[in-house]
Amino acid sequence: MADQPTAGRSKAIRRLKWAMRAFGQLTWGMGTGLLALITFVLGIAVAISSLVGVGILLIRPWLVLLRAVADLERSRLTNQGYEVISPYEQLPQRLRDCLEVVRTDQTTQRDLMWLPVHATWGLIASFFGFQAGINVLREISFPLWWHLLPADEATTLNGLIRVNDWSGAAFSVALGVVWLAVFLFLNPAIVQATAAPGLRLLTAHPDVDLTARIAQLTTTRAAALDAHAVELRRIERALHDGAQNRLVGVAMLTGAAQEALRRDSDSAEAMMEQAHAAAEQALAELRSVVRGILPPILEDRGLAGALNALASSCAVECSVDVDVPVRCPASVESTAYFAAAEALTNISKHSGAYRATLTVRRSQGSLLVVVDDDGRGGAKMDAGSGLAGISRRVAAHDGRTEIQSPVGGPTRIEVELPCGL
Ligand SMILES: Nc1ncnc2c1ncn2[C@@H]1O[C@H](COP(=O)(O)OP(=O)(O)O)[C@@H](O)[C@H]1O
Ligand SMILES: [Mg+2]
């Protein structure tokens, strides 16, 4: 028997926690609903202005916005315990391809169906649930503060009923209790009801072939493992052929010098000098191997500093413009660094350019590295090993490498690396 009040209390606490979570979800839902409404209105404006031509240029940015808003709602649903992954492929750069995405891509069409529903139903229902939470506090605490307000200004039921006396205040408390019931019992159901359209439309359509996406991820993962193995082999070769050989030389020379010391100290001294030189070389090679694994300069001076140092050692005059306010994950930074290093080396080696520019931006969860030169062009992905290696490394991050290099120039290498929000 003694357990009963305890069990009742823990049930009430559980219900309260549940209601608080629902309140958080509805506040979040109100945010995504509001964003959906703004996106919807902008979408209508873009659609109308596309009919007369100009708006057509805004279709891609609008699609980016639509995806960002849908992804925010997906995170809300994931936070509720449903697994809703973002099913997008990268948006194409060209306008015509973007129009094709709107016309044929099922995921985009489902986003377009979800948008007006969430902008209306989602927003209104979430707002109601949010108001219920606010009203509980407001109406129940009403007797504490209503008389402090100027006469005739105290109202209850969202301004609908004016309160002039204590019976009105008591009525407000009664209303507060009703709102409390809504807060405790109805809000969790409202959360589910606002989530429903997203669960139907923002998840991947059964016909959308996620196998293609999975196959792509499997390939890039295999490429990542491959790139890793190649990298290990390169490091092993560099150590084996370089530093290790030099150190073997040092060992032999010092051994021989020891022998010679007993007979002829002059030749011993010459050998010690050789050994010293070989040791210095081994050290230099070890340093260069270390630099090739993760350039220490990235650690010390960040991406901007490291890229500036790269550019200043480039044979062609190169201006650098890096605007990355927060640091990206180390693997992303080092891939961006190696991509820029390869592009700049190529410019020095192959381009015959007078000027180069290196631009780095971070936007919409991606790090974008663009290297331009005004040289003779003709860069090809599979003509050598450098660009192909970079492209594999970038693909391992699920990123994109694009080369525009018509014969006669100019050349632009673009690398985009997802780096989280
Ligand atoms: N910026 C550039 N300007 C002109 N040609 C380039 C440029 N970058 C690369 N190339 C051409 O593309 C080929 C492939 O480059 P890459 O894969 O880096 O191989 P490599 O090992 O020869 O540098 C190069 O051999 C060169 O002919
Ligand atoms: Mg190269």
Side-chain angles (χ1 to χ4, degrees), residues 334-363:
S334 74
T335 303
Y337 176 86
F338 284 119
E342 177 59 32
L344 291 182
T345 313
N346 281 352
I347 290 174
S348 311
K349 270 201 321 198
H350 310 295
S351 73
Y354 291 106
R355 285 190 54 78
T357 56
L358 169 57
T359 316
V360 184
R361 290 280 177 278
R362 183 175 171 159
S363 75

Side-chain angles (χ1 to χ4, degrees), residues 395-418:
H397 285 269
D398 213 14
R400 164 181 77 83
T401 312
E402 212 170 286
I403 301 173
Q404 294 162 21
S405 182
V407 175
T411 300
R412 162 172 283 209
I413 313 266
E414 243 181 71
V415 165
E416 190 177 343
L417 294 158

